[in-house]
Amino acid sequence: MIEMPEPDESVIAKRAALAAQLRAVLPDEQVIDTAEELKAYECDALNSYRQPPMLVVLPDTTEQVAKIVKLCAAAGAPIVPRGSGTSLAGGSLPTADAVVLGLSRMNDVLEVDTENRVIRVETGITNLAVSANIAHEGFFYAPDPSSQLACAIGGNIAMNSGGAHCLKYGVTTNNLLGVKMVMADGEIVEIGGAHLDAGGYDLLGLICGSEGQFGIVTEATLKILPLAEGARPILFGFDTNEVAGEAVAAIIKAGLSPVALEFMDKPAITVSENFAKAGYPLDVEALLICEVEGSEEEIDEQLTRIEAVVAPFKPSTVKRSANDIESAKIWAGRKAAFGAIGQLADYICLDGCVPLSELASVLSETARLAEKYDLKVANVFHAGDGNLHPLIMYEANDPNSARKAEELGADLLRLCVEKDGCLTGEHGVGIEKRELMLTQFNERELRQQMAVKDAFDAGWMFNPAKVFPLELIETRDAA
Amino acid sequence: MLTPDSEADVAAAIRDAVVSKTPLELTAGGTRRALGRPVQAAQTLSLSGLTDVTLYEPGELTLVVQAGMTIAALNKLLDAENQQLTFEPPDYRALLASTGEPTIGGAIAVAASGPRRLRAGAARDALLGVRYVNGQGEVLRSGGRVMKNVTGYDLPKLMCGAYGTLGAITEIGLKVIPKVEVVKTLAVLGLDDAQAVAAMSAALKTPTDISAAAHVSQSVSKELGLTDAVTLLRVEGFETQAAYRITVLQNALSAFGAVEEIESDPWPAIRDVMMFAGDDRAMWRLSVKPTDAPGLVAALQTQIECEAFYDWGGGLIWLACDEGADAQEPIVRAALNDVGGHATLMRASDTVRAAVPVFQPEPKPIAALSERIRAEFDPAGILNPGRMRG
Ligand SMILES: Cc1cc2nc3c(=O)[nH]c(=O)nc-3n(C[C@H](O)[C@H](O)[C@H](O)COP(=O)(O)OP(=O)(O)OC[C@H]3O[C@@H](n4cnc5c(N)ncnc54)[C@H](O)[C@@H]3O)c2cc1C
Ligand SMILES: Cc1cc2nc3c(=O)[nH]c(=O)nc-3n(C[C@H](O)[C@H](O)[C@H](O)COP(=O)(O)OP(=O)(O)OC[C@H]3O[C@@H](n4cnc5c(N)ncnc54)[C@H](O)[C@@H]3O)c2cc1C
């Protein structure tokens, strides 16, 4: 079990007074302090960890956020920023003495500028709503986490989120041009904007992926791209994970720039097929779904080239989509995978990243470890960039099963690091991988990162118990 | 000059400098030493002795090299596998009248990105990880070699563009890309600056994956062998794809005039700013919202004598003007501030670069934050003191 720091009773003692001060800034109902309402903010998608916060505030403007930050600082109350609470790493899990600052009311589109290919939004807006607002102009916002219906741009920025189509278009940091942010002293700053490459140190690059620890991001300027004329996938089945892994590397090396390249292993195929009836072959060990985009002719030529590159690896199934209906069918199984597994069991979704050349060996080692712990693991992941998603299935009601699942997860992440990879490719560290950070970095490296947090937030007000091992956080002054 | 040939020796040199309180100027090739403010340092530490290839996996589009490796050697390595850097780093030797060989460490330290930045991202976007020695002589790693990595803060981005003021970069992990089969350039002649930016925006609204878009005004187009203004688009893909994309663009731009394919390759000259090489004017690099660019240049031209051309679809302005006592800094920055963005003085004499802010002055809270960050990496202030701020 991952521990959270003891709440500060002297802060909790100021709860009523702080609530009253906050109600002077916000309409009454936007300061939440009743037990039943606070419960809605007790966890994110890592829902095995729950703790209602001391208070929740739901501001409408950046100026209100600035006032809230100042009041909380004066009261010594830590702030946990929250978008939609879909973090899989416990990024928005509060402590009992914390104020959750929810951005959900700040969800306006402020400016759409197709001439300059940018959109400016408030960060509580959902990822999908950004694209929905510009589709009629022929544009879209590229990073597309599977949670895009729910997750907010603020959460995406904090986690530097990715998605299936990031292989071609990059992750959040590659598509973020500017932010408005409230700093720890309540100062409102703007970094970057509709122009490229803000001058000075790359603070924007630093803020993206800082897990809500540097400031409250209230507005964002995002790069938007013209929608492709069309897109179609091709599906390949292979007899072994090894060969499927080799085919991935061959496609990437050939420079065919697919927009997505997704991998499913046998357990994932079986579960998804039973659930979604996508027509996946059940006699294969691994599936690859490879999508390309362009005009009809461009798509055909790219798919033909990809087929040719994959042919030497002797796929046992090749299914090339000829139209939108077939495309939807091929994607149906992949898209249903998490939900289908969720119907069968509780699961932990990891997201370590490894070099492509290690894919096959990591998958076979995963199977070996799963057997050792006597747990089922399904793998559905973004193969083009080596970003694994082992789904460890377990029984949440059984403490023994839950403990084993956490231990297996830790072993799998250590394996990724050993293979020259990393603990997390897109979900973030949060609380979940906090204590594993010393497997990837040495203490000095972590202290240098913590020093950057000091530069932004000397009092460690924002999301304090995340990202770094608790012991390092608690001994930081002694360092 | 100190020229260590291992990371451990770089660290030892920096620790010695801390003990003896000797500020260090970091250098590698030295080709961009004229960028930024002149450094006041007693000793020079060259990274050019670190030249090894740590790892190159073409099948993973991954390259890890030591920072002193020259761009020339790196390109040779990539050529052999038909791959290339994503960000097309420029070679400013002609522009800055310097010699030596540009290194990958220098390119990353100054965040040098060429025309392809428009589509494939900047130097920072290609950066997977770094090893560096901070101002206390500690060897540290951040990021790695895998394509996606959100484990801890993104310090490689911070190192990129820090001009060696936060650490000496010793090793760099990069994402590379395959070369494309066909690269073609389309040209529209005779547009004025505003029409040109509108044309480039129209082109960039099509899903044709244009890898570069520039406009060279009439007054400077002779460097490209032309007498008229020219608006340029680089189209890539495989044979049939490129042909199709050209048709799409010709249709999208029909209102702007004839869209012709040209045989010559204008992009190296645009990348290296050859239009302003070999003269002694001051030179500015302005990053703005593309549609603001023509108006900004026009406003400047009513106040000072200057010439300009545009890259990145209009978002990047290269502007040359008389150096005078201050490279026209107050006028350039005042005009820029009317629209937003940032201006960097890329070329001027040491005297002028010491006298005016080379980098865009930052609002107070941002400047204070940057100072705090610097103090966390280099508390003694021995790495490139003065390069980014006075
Ligand atoms: C089913 C499912 C599928 C998923 N698929 C993907 C995927 O494909 N790719 C991927 O990358 N992730 C995925 N995720 C993870 C998650 O959706 C992302 O991490 C997402 O970006 C979180 O957004 P959120 O708005 O829900 O943030 P929250 O969970 O509310 O918060 C996440 C972090 O961001 C901080 N934060 C939120 N808003 C702000 C702000 N305005 N300013 C500062 N800090 C802020 C929080 O403090 C917290 O640390 C998935 C999650 C689920 C449940
Ligand atoms: C005293 C001296 C004088 C020289 N005079 C000249 C001269 O007049 N003209 C000339 O062309 N060459 C000169 N050189 C030669 C120089 O070694 C090369 O020109 C070199 O090719 C330039 O490398 P670069 O362009 O990659 O980056 P540089 O121009 O060396 O550096 C660009 C910027 O990046 C920083 N930087 C570079 N590498 C790193 C790194 N690994 N980590 C962190 N920061 C880094 C630098 O501090 C500088 O701010 C001189 C060298 C020395 C020591």
Side-chain angles (χ1 to χ4, degrees):
Chain A
M1 286 298 281
I2 298 151
E3 282 179 39
M4 292 300 280
E6 285 300 314
D8 184 338
E9 291 300 334
S10 72
V11 172
I12 296 178
K14 293 183 214 147
R15 179 173 185 270
L18 181 59
Q21 289 173 324
L22 291 166
R23 288 206 166 100
V25 174
L26 295 177
D28 278 4
E29 67 278 10
Q30 287 166 230
V31 178
I32 293 173
D33 58 357
T34 65
E36 68 267 27
E37 282 183 288
L38 288 171
K39 213 165 162 8
Y41 299 87
E42 69 178 4
C43 71
D44 53 27
L46 185 72
N47 53 21
S48 44
Y49 292 86
R50 291 169 194 263
Q51 169 62 55
M54 177 170 74
L55 295 167
V56 175
V57 287
L58 304 172
D60 293 303
T61 68
T62 302
E63 289 67 32
Q64 288 174 348
V65 172
K67 286 180 187 157
I68 293 165
V69 166
K70 283 185 191 158
L71 289 174
C72 290
I79 294 180
V80 177
R82 181 179 172 108
S84 306
T86 68
S87 169
L88 289 164
S92 41
L93 178 75
T95 45
D97 55 359
V99 174
V100 165
L101 194 158
L103 278 300
S104 56
R105 296 178 62 93
M106 295 183 62
N107 57 5
D108 283 343
V109 173
L110 302 171
E111 187 188 353
V112 176
D113 178 352
T114 55
E115 283 297 290
N116 292 302
R117 303 165 298 282
V118 296
I119 186 170
R120 199 158 55 84
V121 297
E122 290 182 323
T123 53
I125 191 171
T126 63
N127 175 290
L128 196 62
V130 175
S131 285
N133 266 288
I134 49 181
H136 66 283
E137 309 249 27
F139 280 85
F140 75 113
Y141 173 63
D144 59 341
S146 320
S147 51
Q148 66 180 158
L149 193 62
C151 67
I153 290 296
N156 293 175
I157 293 171
M159 292 313 202
N160 189 13
S161 302
H165 290 77
C166 290
L167 184 58
K168 178 166 178 194
Y169 297 110
V171 294
T172 303
T173 189
N174 312 116
N175 292 279
L176 175 69
L177 297 175
V179 292
K180 184 184 264 191
M181 181 169 103
V182 177
M183 310 256 288
D185 58 1
E187 187 93 44
I188 298 167
V189 297
E190 287 186 51
I191 297 168
H195 55 279
L196 294 173
D197 303 344
Y201 290 156
D202 187 358
L203 301 176
L204 187 66
L206 202 52
I207 288 162
C208 192
S210 64
E211 305 210 10
Q213 295 196 304
F214 288 176
I216 314 290
V217 180
T218 57
E219 289 179 18
T221 304
L222 308 169
K223 179 163 113 182
I224 57 176
L225 294 167
L227 281 162
E229 282 178 59
R232 262 190 286 137
I234 185 166
L235 177 143
F236 297 104
F238 297 92
D239 293 336
T240 67
N241 286 335
E242 282 76 8
V243 177
E246 284 167 20
V248 168
I251 295 170
I252 296 293
K253 183 168 183 221
L256 295 166
S257 66
V259 279
L261 186 46
E262 299 284 300
F263 191 119
M264 295 172 74
D265 72 353
K266 178 124 198 171
I269 299 166
T270 314
V271 175
S272 306
E273 178 59 21
N274 287 341
F275 187 82
K277 305 279 179 279
Y280 290 170
L282 292 171
D283 56 348
V284 300
E285 285 297 316
L287 274 189
L288 286 183
I289 299 174
C290 182
E291 181 156 278
V292 298
E293 57 180 32
S295 66
E296 279 301 309
E297 293 74 21
E298 281 177 280
I299 290 175
D300 272 327
E301 173 149 10
Q302 290 178 81
L303 291 180
T304 301
R305 285 170 181 241
I306 288 171
E307 260 194 77
V309 167
V310 173
F313 301 97
K314 305 207 168 32
S316 53
T317 310
V318 180
K319 243 190 221 174
R320 177 169 169 165
S321 156
N323 54 49
D324 287 352
I325 296 169
E326 289 181 22
S327 300
K329 205 161 176 207
I330 290 182
W331 276 113
R334 165 64 181 90
K335 289 197 171 152
F338 284 31
I341 290 165
Q343 298 247 313
L344 287 185
D346 300 297
Y347 68 79
I348 299 179
C349 174
L350 302 173
D351 82 315
C353 209
V354 295
L356 291 184
S357 53
E358 302 287 356
L359 274 183
S361 74
V362 170
L363 288 174
S364 55
E365 185 63 10
T366 300
R368 198 188 65 75
L369 285 167
E371 201 163 316
K372 179 180 144 196
Y373 282 93
D374 192 23
L375 288 169
K376 278 212 180 88
V377 177
N379 288 283
V380 189
F381 61 95
H382 313 309
D385 36 32
N387 194 184
L388 298 163
H389 279 342
L391 298 166
I392 304 174
M393 294 174 247
Y394 72 106
E395 275 288 334
N397 296 328
D398 170 1
N400 187 39
S401 170
R403 183 188 46 78
K404 279 200 305 182
E406 270 192 10
E407 282 173 13
L408 172 57
D411 278 358
L412 291 178
L413 292 180
R414 282 188 204 102
L415 174 67
C416 291
V417 175
E418 263 165 39
K419 300 286 184 180
D420 225 359
C422 66
L423 296 172
T424 169
E426 57 180 21
H427 295 166
V429 177
I431 61 158
E432 191 199 20
K433 295 149 210 136
R434 195 182 63 189
E435 302 303 325
L436 288 169
M437 286 293 271
L438 279 164
T439 62
Q440 183 164 342
F441 298 104
N442 63 39
E443 184 174 329
R444 265 311 309 159
E445 288 163 344
L446 290 180
R447 294 227 184 258
Q448 184 70 71
Q449 293 187 35
M450 291 168 66
V452 177
K453 162 88 168 153
D454 289 336
F456 276 88
D457 174 17
W460 285 58
M461 274 257 299
F462 295 130
N463 229 359
K466 314 281 165 72
V467 183
F468 304 102
L470 208 49
E471 195 191 327
L472 291 197
I473 298 175
E474 284 170 350
T475 57
R476 69 180 184 275
D477 291 330
Chain B
M1 176 164 62
L2 307 169
T3 313
D5 58 10
S6 73
E7 181 180 77
D9 289 350
V10 172
I14 292 179
R15 284 196 297 270
D16 287 349
V18 174
V19 172
S20 63
K21 301 195 171 63
T22 313
L24 294 174
E25 175 173 4
L26 301 183
T27 184
T31 64
R32 298 189 189 87
R33 294 178 65 235
L35 288 186
R37 296 165 52 91
V39 168
Q40 305 296 326
Q43 178 65 281
T44 302
L45 175 64
S46 171
L47 280 303
S48 57
L50 302 180
T51 56
D52 290 347
V53 178
T54 309
L55 173 149
Y56 180 27
E57 288 281 355
E60 302 178 9
L61 306 179
T62 310
L63 175 67
V64 184
V65 295
Q66 286 192 311
M69 184 166 195
T70 64
I71 301 268
L74 196 147
N75 281 337
K76 212 171 141 204
L77 188 71
L78 292 172
D79 271 341
E81 292 289 343
N82 205 27
Q83 296 188 336
Q84 61 185 341
L85 288 171
T86 59
F87 57 98
E88 219 174 356
D91 179 348
Y92 293 146
R93 278 177 292 188
L95 189 71
L96 302 176
S98 60
T99 53
E101 277 296 327
T103 64
I104 186 65
I108 293 296
V110 306
S113 313
R116 194 180 297 276
R117 192 262 169 275
L118 180 66
R119 144 129 217 92
R124 48 101 98 177
D125 295 298
L127 199 54
L128 303 174
V130 291
R131 291 176 69 100
Y132 63 99
V133 182
N134 69 9
Q136 297 165 83
E138 295 174 323
V139 177
L140 303 171
R141 300 162 304 157
S142 189
R145 59 167 283 208
V146 282
M147 288 294 156
K148 272 164 88 182
N149 190 341
V150 297
T151 321
Y153 301 147
D154 199 344
L155 298 191
K157 292 230 170 33
L158 185 60
M159 288 291 148
C160 187
Y163 281 77
T165 60
L166 300 177
I169 303 168
T170 53
E171 188 182 274
I172 293 169
L174 291 167
K175 178 187 168 141
V176 298
I177 47 173
K179 286 192 182 165
V180 272
E181 275 173 35
V182 177
V183 181
K184 300 222 154 135
T185 299
L186 296 180
V188 185
L189 290 176
L191 301 184
D192 68 27
D193 293 2
Q195 289 169 328
V197 170
M200 290 190 283
S201 287
L204 287 162
K205 279 184 191 176
T206 64
T208 48
D209 287 356
I210 296 165
S211 76
H215 174 68
V216 182
S217 326
Q218 191 257 333
S219 70
V220 286
S221 67
K222 60 183 174 299
E223 179 63 36
L224 299 177
L226 295 169
T227 53
D228 214 343
V230 63
T231 309
L232 298 158
L233 303 170
R234 188 166 62 190
V235 185
E236 301 181 338
F238 41 85
E239 194 72 47
T240 51
Q241 191 178 36
Y244 175 73
R245 288 173 169 178
I246 287 173
T247 321
V248 170
L249 287 165
Q250 282 170 332
N251 288 336
L253 298 189
S254 56
F256 294 92
V259 185
E260 306 285 354
E261 204 179 307
I262 59 169
E263 289 305 317
S264 61
D265 179 3
W267 299 103
I270 290 167
R271 179 193 70 197
D272 300 342
V273 202
M274 295 305 288
M275 292 71 177
F276 301 142
D279 69 44
D280 56 7
R281 288 176 295 176
M283 201 186 59
W284 289 89
R285 179 179 180 277
L286 297 94
S287 178
V288 296
K289 189 158 86 175
T291 52
D292 286 337
L296 171 59
V297 169
L300 281 169
Q301 281 171 337
T302 64
Q303 301 174 68
I304 56 175
E305 191 131 331
C306 59
E307 287 177 335
F309 73 95
Y310 308 80
D311 197 356
W312 299 355
L316 179 66
I317 306 169
W318 290 103
L319 183 106
C321 61
D322 279 341
E323 178 167 301
D326 57 8
Q328 321 288 353
E329 192 265 347
I331 295 170
V332 172
R333 287 249 161 75
L336 178 92
N337 289 342
D338 286 343
V339 297
H342 58 96
T344 307
L345 178 57
M346 292 292 282
R347 184 179 68 191
S349 63
D350 279 8
T351 334
V352 169
R353 284 186 297 116
V356 306
V358 165
F359 296 98
Q360 185 68 23
E362 293 167 328
K364 249 200 185 139
I366 298 292
L369 173 61
S370 298
E371 275 306 324
R372 291 197 298 275
I373 290 173
R374 171 149 161 85
E376 297 286 4
F377 283 84
D378 179 18
I382 54 156
L383 301 177
N384 278 352
R387 173 133 291 157
M388 286 192 87
R389 53 196 79 236

